[in-house]
Amino acid sequence: MTNKRKPAGDRVLVLGAGYGGLMAALHAADAADVTLIDPAAHFTERVREHEVAAGRQDISHPLSSFLRKKRVTHVAARVTDIDPVHKEVVTDDHRRHPFDLLVYALGSRTQTVGDGSHEDGRLFTSETARYLRKRLDDGPGTLTVVGGGATGVEMATELAEAERAWKISMVTAGEVGPALSQKGRTHVRSMFRDLDINLEEGRPAAPEDLDADVIVWTASLRANAEVARSAGLALTVDGRIEVDAMLRSVSHPDIYVVGDAAAARTEAAGELRMACATALPLGSRAGRNIVAELRGQRPKPLSFRYYAQVMSLGRRNGLVQFVGADDKPKDMIVTGRKAALVKEQVVRSTVRSLRLAAR
Ligand SMILES: Cc1cc2nc3c(=O)[nH]c(=O)nc-3n(C[C@H](O)[C@H](O)[C@H](O)COP(=O)(O)OP(=O)(O)OC[C@H]3O[C@@H](n4cnc5c(N)ncnc54)[C@H](O)[C@@H]3O)c2cc1C
């Protein structure tokens, strides 16, 4: 495949208006009229879903507020199919949308496991944070967060701080904060003690094994790659879409892939984890590469390295874990209110960077 080519036309479709898709659409609009397809009329700050569970009112921004100065048209529909041969996308309103270049940015969702016997209204995920909020308002009881990764830690601490009448616990198959340094993990464990969160490490659990009144499942994120799979795009074993250094599908180079759906890698960082911290630069790179292609220029490879992981531990506490270029933790952390402020600024900067691209 040659890196320099000019597509047959300039119809650009972007599927998904999350961090990656919205950023890609805003950049691609510098050289084309872009159609952005997402059923929601709002951009949702997904990284704040645990705050919604704890009572925060709104974490969304009207898409129109980002798009008004750009040549981007929003289509409110759900993508059901991609026909890569005829270069069309089908939506659930039975419309067909032709494209010359496509950006696939459908993100990911939490996947629960178990035998289905838990489907009794006890089980919630980040995606159902609003319903979890309502359930918490119905009165106190016991709540178990399953999964000790960053999402689980943020969820457990946020809820423990906001819901003092609930008895919160966490169950995790490995150690809590597996991506943290020993120092970072020790801090998380001490925060759990302060917030009276009971922590059970080394215990793999299915929902039906747990007798809590409420279970919040944060254990496994899965890319929304079903549409890509049925269109025949090459996927990795863990279900993300394989891309080259320019972020194009290795099997279908007219399709760029960004965000959680992409198995992107760089020499410095290795395979990138699912994060808004990676989705934004991917979106920006894909959008700029589309501009390059439409102008008959050479698209550029993604350049990315890690610096730090930032985590909230409730509203008043946080953790900044410094990492190497490849995301491996260093023995250096910042904690407390200072870290909480850093985390809040980092989260705000994601929307700020989208607003900047929207100008
Ligand atoms: C509680 C929580 C906390 C997090 N905290 C952090 C953090 O602190 N730092 C960090 O870097 N990352 C964090 N993450 C991860 C981060 O939110 C994701 O990695 C990021 O949202 C991925 O961006 P994306 O653009 O790929 O997908 P998303 O932001 O999920 O957007 C996907 C978009 O696609 C749309 N879509 C889905 N299916 C279809 C369809 N069929 N048709 C049309 N549109 C569709 C959705 O409506 C959505 O708008 C957190 C995640 C959660 C759940």
Side-chain angles (χ1 to χ4, degrees):
M1 189 199 316
T2 158
N3 281 340
K4 197 168 166 187
R5 57 183 193 151
K6 199 148 184 332
D10 64 354
R11 291 166 304 182
V12 176
L13 277 190
V14 178
L15 315 183
Y19 295 92
L22 183 53
M23 187 59 108
L26 292 170
H27 278 287
D30 287 346
D33 290 315
V34 176
T35 303
L36 175 62
I37 306 181
D38 193 303
H42 292 81
F43 163 75
T44 298
E45 285 188 79
R46 198 176 164 202
V47 302
R48 291 195 193 271
E49 291 291 8
H50 56 292
E51 295 179 45
V52 170
R56 189 184 176 113
Q57 288 301 317
D58 198 11
I59 57 165
S60 65
H61 308 263
L63 277 177
S64 57
S65 70
F66 297 94
L67 306 184
R68 63 170 71 101
K69 289 190 184 154
K70 288 279 182 168
R71 295 150 66 192
V72 183
T73 306
H74 173 229
V75 170
R78 180 163 290 279
V79 174
T80 54
D81 280 301
I82 301 170
D83 177 346
V85 177
H86 299 101
K87 294 189 141 195
E88 284 182 333
V89 162
V90 184
T91 43
D92 59 356
D93 50 6
H94 308 294
R95 279 200 282 168
R96 304 182 82 84
H97 309 266
F99 67 86
D100 295 295
L101 290 172
L102 184 71
V103 180
Y104 190 105
L106 297 185
S108 63
R109 67 182 179 285
T110 311
Q111 202 176 43
T112 51
V113 296
D115 63 7
S117 61
H118 56 276
E119 284 170 8
D120 52 8
R122 285 194 304 150
L123 188 70
F124 297 85
T125 64
S126 305
E127 290 80 23
T128 55
R130 271 190 174 71
Y131 302 101
L132 170 57
R133 177 66 249 152
K134 286 200 185 105
R135 173 64 189 87
L136 294 172
D137 286 339
D138 285 346
T142 54
L143 180 151
T144 299
V145 175
V146 181
T151 309
V153 169
E154 289 196 329
M155 182 67 85
T157 49
E158 196 87 27
L159 292 178
E161 190 184 80
E163 303 294 334
R164 301 305 291 176
W166 281 79
K167 181 73 200 119
I168 313 269
S169 60
M170 173 183 280
V171 171
T172 186
E175 284 189 292
V176 71
L180 300 174
S181 62
Q182 197 54 49
K183 243 187 204 170
R185 259 193 301 280
T186 302
H187 180 68
V188 169
R189 288 186 185 121
S190 86
M191 277 304 301
F192 272 38
R193 278 193 295 278
D194 290 352
L195 289 165
D196 204 18
I197 302 169
N198 184 54
L199 174 63
E200 268 189 83
E201 295 175 274
R203 180 184 165 196
E208 55 271 18
D209 306 333
L210 301 166
D211 60 7
D213 299 319
V214 168
I215 299 166
V216 186
W217 195 270
T218 70
S220 33
L221 267 190
R222 197 79 194 155
N224 286 328
E226 295 77 8
V227 175
R229 187 188 298 277
S230 52
L233 272 70
L235 303 187
T236 59
V237 281
D238 63 347
R240 295 171 95 188
I241 302 167
E242 282 193 64
V243 293
D244 66 12
M246 264 57 71
L247 304 178
R248 301 174 297 203
S249 153
V250 294
S251 55
H252 295 76
D254 295 326
I255 303 180
Y256 283 85
V257 191
V258 303
D260 289 355
R265 53 183 307 115
T266 65
E267 210 177 311
E271 185 169 322
L272 306 187
R273 66 183 150 84
M274 293 185 186
C276 76
T278 54
L280 286 169
L282 261 66
S284 163
R285 182 73 268 150
R288 288 169 202 262
N289 280 351
I290 285 174
V291 171
E293 282 208 55
L294 292 174
R295 291 179 177 161
Q297 297 161 356
R298 206 180 290 277
K300 289 190 182 153
L302 175 74
S303 160
F304 181 85
R305 59 149 295 167
Y306 292 100
Y307 293 94
Q309 296 172 18
V310 282
M311 204 184 270
S312 63
L313 299 169
R315 288 298 84 199
R316 295 185 286 274
N317 210 306
L319 174 65
V320 178
Q321 169 69 66
F322 290 95
V323 299
D326 58 356
D327 211 23
K328 293 233 169 67
K330 296 180 175 176
D331 198 26
M332 203 180 6
I333 60 172
V334 176
T335 61
R337 190 171 281 274
K338 206 187 283 177
L341 284 173
V342 172
K343 166 76 188 191
E344 179 56 26
Q345 285 312 314
V346 168
V347 171
R348 285 186 192 184
S349 75
T350 61
V351 178
R352 225 178 286 134
S353 69
L354 287 164
R355 295 245 175 257
L356 210 61
R359 287 212 196 121

